[in-house]
Amino acid sequence: MMSASDVRTLFRRFAEYTTFHGVNRIISSKLMIGRLVWLCIVMTSFCMCIRQIYILSVQFSSYKINRKVSTLNADPYFPSISFCDLNPLSHRKIEEYKDDVELATHLIKIIKRNQAAVEGLKNGTVDIRNTLFNKDDLHSEEIEQQFRREMNYFDINITKKAVRKLSPDFKEFVLSCKYEGELCNESSFMPFFDPYYGQCYRFPRKPLESKHVGQLFAFQLFLNVNQSDYIPYVADDPGVVLSIHENGYRPYLQSNGFSVSPGFKTDISLFQKRMLRKREVFGNTDLCDDSGEFTNIQACFELCIEKIIEKNCNCSPTLSDVSLGLWICDDAEELECMAQAEKSSDNCSCKEPCNEIKYETFRSMTTWPGRSYVGVLDAILKQRGVAYQDLRESLLFVNIYFSSLQEEVTEEELAYTIENFWSDIGGSLGLWVGMSVISLGEILELGILILRFIRKRSVRLLSTEQKRGEAEDKLNDGLNQIIKGFNGMNEEKQEGRTEFNDGLNKILKSINMLTAEQQKRDNDENANYSEISIVENALPKQYNVFPDHVL
């Protein structure tokens, strides 16, 4: 092992040539008070440096995000337009197929029961599902919800087939449509079933790239909601529900849809916005959802909470996943269970989509048709076998178009990068302790010297112990021969004298060996100090510019 003097000498000479600020002052100060003051200064600076690096580490590990917004020229795809009549089924077709379609037979009973309940008002109250409502408080919501539940009474596959048969025909619902000035037909639409709204349609079937902007190149829908065919007490507001969303995704009409009323022309201008989020930051993966299952995080939470409610409460908050025997949560116990289940949304592993497209909309409405256009519209409708006067309260016109082909792109980037982190650490080390990357080389050099000294000292101690053992053996042999020589001199003088001389020679040799080993050890220590001196002399000398009496 290294002696205390070796360690002190090694660190003293390291302090004299190191680039660490203040360390040389601790060694070079002549007075003890000076050394203590400089030691306090160096230790305080070192602690402040550690604190600053800790703050930087916390800031770096927080992964704060900046958002860079840019506007780019693009040829965006026209979004999916999903729309449904607010009236889920055709009253006329329910009456027509009441004997042929099982669902129609079931719904006729519900309709008649609701009509009798409303028309049979007594004492200012009405009985709906064994619940009494005051006349002033009565709205069609309870009747509407009950009818939509009963509409999904059968197996989902049976319901889909029956709803398709009991819904208005496409040609009765969609009177005409155009896209960028060209007529479209039924093959341009994708029909789909919604448990709440019934038969719905989505345009287009396949993504279409938009090449033009403005109303002249809009997607135009001329719809007939046919209020005379509405089911009593089910839809209290005529019109359609419409959702504008990214192609290939579920529309979520109940939460993301908006209503369009008849008797108006509704213009909807679109501007596409894209959000690009970082998925991975320094090995921390899955910061966003790249599965493509959801267009936004709200849709994920809605589906997750819906599944939790269905599992815990044995009822459904909506009719999106309704099945046989599963009712909407409506009584006090179910509503309380639903409220508790909604608080467990923290268990939903929902994340923002990595690539999200949104459509900023601006809507305007005007009364439609104008007086000057009534005659033209009446002539068009007569070609279809209907008169304008019969449908004037059921017609609506929708214009959907891009206001610009530019796209606003919002891209996430790290607010504090790895380069900023290392630069700030270097600044803190330089400010508080005067340390740089080159200073690490000095620490490495000091470590190598310490290891080298330890290795040499260990080898030298082992060699010394072996030689000392050999010398002690020879010394013992010499002493034994001297004793033997003394004893032999009494009997045979010549032989005893020879033994005495041989023993004395062995003692002298052992003493010489010990002396030579001590001399070698002294030479090795001088050589070690010479190595430190070589390192010290390789650097320019640092002179104490302060007088000895100054700290």
Side-chain angles (χ1 to χ4, degrees), residues 2 110 121 136 274 489:
M2 297 180 63
I110 304 301
L121 286 173
D136 296 336
R274 184 185 299 271
M489 288 176 65

Side-chain angles (χ1 to χ4, degrees), residues 2-11 525 529:
M2 297 180 63
S3 64
S5 60
D6 293 340
V7 175
R8 285 196 299 269
T9 302
L10 186 62
F11 278 97
E525 290 179 356
Y529 295 148

Side-chain angles (χ1 to χ4, degrees), residues 457-471:
R457 178 57 60 88
S458 299
V459 173
R460 186 169 57 249
L461 288 177
L462 180 61
S463 177
T464 301
E465 290 296 331
Q466 291 177 349
K467 292 183 178 181
R468 180 176 297 174
E470 295 177 359

Side-chain angles (χ1 to χ4, degrees), residues 205-217:
R205 279 180 175 269
K206 297 180 180 180
L208 297 175
E209 189 174 356
S210 297
K211 298 291 186 181
H212 308 282
V213 299
Q215 296 190 25
L216 292 177
F217 301 95

Side-chain angles (χ1 to χ4, degrees), residues 425-453:
I425 287 181
S428 299
L429 292 173
L431 173 65
W432 293 108
V433 297
M435 182 179 177
S436 65
V437 176
I438 297 178
S439 303
L440 298 178
E442 297 175 355
I443 297 176
L444 179 63
E445 181 186 47
L446 176 63
I448 293 174
L449 288 176
I450 292 175
L451 293 176
R452 185 177 179 183
F453 290 164

Side-chain angles (χ1 to χ4, degrees), residues 83-300:
F83 58 96
C84 317
D85 195 336
L86 290 174
N87 181 50
L89 298 173
S90 167
H91 191 198
R92 174 181 58 82
K93 286 196 172 185
I94 292 176
E95 292 283 357
E96 180 181 350
Y97 293 105
K98 63 181 179 181
D99 298 327
D100 302 326
V101 178
E102 190 176 7
L103 178 60
T105 305
H106 177 71
L107 293 179
I108 279 292
K109 297 178 183 179
I110 304 301
I111 293 172
K112 290 181 177 180
R113 185 178 66 189
N114 292 337
Q115 287 177 329
V118 175
E119 293 172 0
L121 286 173
K122 295 179 181 180
N123 301 323
T125 61
V126 61
D127 184 2
I128 300 176
R129 291 191 67 197
N130 298 322
T131 303
L132 293 177
F133 291 89
N134 292 326
K135 179 180 178 181
D136 296 336
D137 298 333
L138 176 63
H139 299 283
S140 63
E141 294 177 359
E142 285 294 323
I143 299 177
E144 176 185 357
Q145 294 297 331
Q146 181 190 10
F147 180 86
R148 296 185 189 276
R149 285 195 297 268
E150 299 292 346
M151 187 177 71
N152 294 272
Y153 180 78
F154 296 93
D155 179 81
I156 191 67
N157 293 321
I158 297 175
T159 301
K160 285 183 179 180
K161 185 177 180 180
V163 166
R164 191 179 303 116
K165 192 169 186 177
L166 299 177
S167 299
D169 295 335
F170 177 84
K171 292 182 178 180
E172 295 178 4
F173 181 41
V174 181
L175 298 179
S176 70
C177 71
K178 284 185 178 181
Y179 177 70
E180 293 193 348
E182 296 184 2
L183 291 173
C184 50
N185 51 39
E186 187 174 357
S187 63
S188 304
F189 294 81
M190 173 67 73
F192 67 93
F193 170 76
D194 184 89
Y196 193 82
Y197 293 106
Q199 185 70 24
C200 302
Y201 299 93
R202 180 168 60 246
F203 176 90
R205 279 180 175 269
K206 297 180 180 180
L208 297 175
E209 189 174 356
S210 297
K211 298 291 186 181
H212 308 282
V213 299
Q215 296 190 25
L216 292 177
F217 301 95
F219 170 59
Q220 300 177 347
L221 269 178
F222 181 21
L223 302 178
N224 170 30
V225 296
N226 195 6
Q227 291 194 55
S228 62
D229 200 23
Y230 269 37
I231 299 171
Y233 316 115
V234 172
D236 56 359
D237 51 341
V240 298
V241 59
L242 186 144
S243 175
I244 301 173
H245 56 94
E246 190 177 352
N247 287 282
Y249 290 92
R250 178 180 172 181
Y252 291 95
L253 290 161
Q254 286 183 264
S255 58
N256 295 331
F258 56 91
S259 298
V260 180
S261 301
F264 294 92
K265 176 185 176 183
T266 304
D267 291 321
I268 305 173
S269 65
L270 307 175
F271 183 73
Q272 181 169 299
K273 294 185 175 182
R274 184 185 299 271
M275 171 65 74
L276 301 177
R277 297 183 174 86
K278 294 188 72 67
R279 181 181 181 275
E280 180 178 355
V281 177
F282 307 124
N284 189 4
T285 59
D286 298 330
L287 297 180
C288 60
D289 177 26
D290 63 348
S291 65
E293 184 177 357
F294 301 100
T295 56
N296 54 67
I297 192 172
Q298 182 61 33
C300 176

Side-chain angles (χ1 to χ4, degrees), residues 209-453:
E209 189 174 356
S210 297
K211 298 291 186 181
H212 308 282
V213 299
Q215 296 190 25
L216 292 177
F217 301 95
F219 170 59
Q220 300 177 347
L221 269 178
F222 181 21
L223 302 178
N224 170 30
V225 296
N226 195 6
Q227 291 194 55
S228 62
D229 200 23
Y230 269 37
I231 299 171
Y233 316 115
V234 172
D236 56 359
D237 51 341
V240 298
V241 59
L242 186 144
S243 175
I244 301 173
H245 56 94
E246 190 177 352
N247 287 282
Y249 290 92
R250 178 180 172 181
Y252 291 95
L253 290 161
Q254 286 183 264
S255 58
N256 295 331
F258 56 91
S259 298
V260 180
S261 301
F264 294 92
K265 176 185 176 183
T266 304
D267 291 321
I268 305 173
S269 65
L270 307 175
F271 183 73
Q272 181 169 299
K273 294 185 175 182
R274 184 185 299 271
M275 171 65 74
L276 301 177
R277 297 183 174 86
K278 294 188 72 67
R279 181 181 181 275
E280 180 178 355
V281 177
F282 307 124
N284 189 4
T285 59
D286 298 330
L287 297 180
C288 60
D289 177 26
D290 63 348
S291 65
E293 184 177 357
F294 301 100
T295 56
N296 54 67
I297 192 172
Q298 182 61 33
C300 176
F301 275 113
E302 286 183 8
L303 184 60
C304 177
I305 293 175
E306 184 175 326
K307 290 181 178 179
I308 293 175
I309 294 174
E310 291 176 355
K311 179 181 179 181
N312 297 343
C313 309
N314 198 29
C315 61
S316 175
T318 67
L319 286 170
S320 58
D321 287 325
V322 73
S323 59
L324 182 62
L326 192 64
W327 297 89
I328 281 186
C329 304
D330 54 1
D331 62 31
E333 183 177 351
E334 290 174 343
L335 292 177
E336 177 65 24
C337 177
M338 185 172 69
Q340 293 296 326
E342 288 176 349
K343 295 179 181 179
S344 60
S345 60
D346 293 339
N347 297 328
C348 299
S349 57
C350 291
K351 300 174 183 176
E352 296 279 4
C354 296
N355 190 344
E356 180 180 2
I357 294 179
K358 295 182 178 180
Y359 297 96
E360 185 180 68
T361 62
F362 179 78
R363 285 174 275 174
S364 61
M365 299 175 63
T366 56
T367 303
W368 186 86
R371 292 182 180 178
S372 61
Y373 188 67
V374 170
V376 177
L377 184 60
D378 186 46
I380 295 174
L381 292 176
K382 283 183 179 179
Q383 293 179 358
R384 295 176 174 266
V386 294
Y388 168 73
Q389 292 300 325
D390 299 333
L391 300 177
R392 62 190 180 90
E393 294 182 351
S394 301
L395 301 178
L396 61 92
F397 197 88
V398 183
N399 262 347
I400 304 175
Y401 55 91
F402 275 112
S403 60
S404 172
L405 292 183
Q406 290 183 322
E407 179 184 43
E408 182 183 286
V409 180
T410 303
E411 188 173 1
E412 291 185 346
E413 57 183 17
L414 281 176
Y416 196 58
T417 63
I418 185 67
E419 292 81 9
N420 301 136
F421 180 56
W422 285 115
S423 297
D424 289 345
I425 287 181
S428 299
L429 292 173
L431 173 65
W432 293 108
V433 297
M435 182 179 177
S436 65
V437 176
I438 297 178
S439 303
L440 298 178
E442 297 175 355
I443 297 176
L444 179 63
E445 181 186 47
L446 176 63
I448 293 174
L449 288 176
I450 292 175
L451 293 176
R452 185 177 179 183
F453 290 164

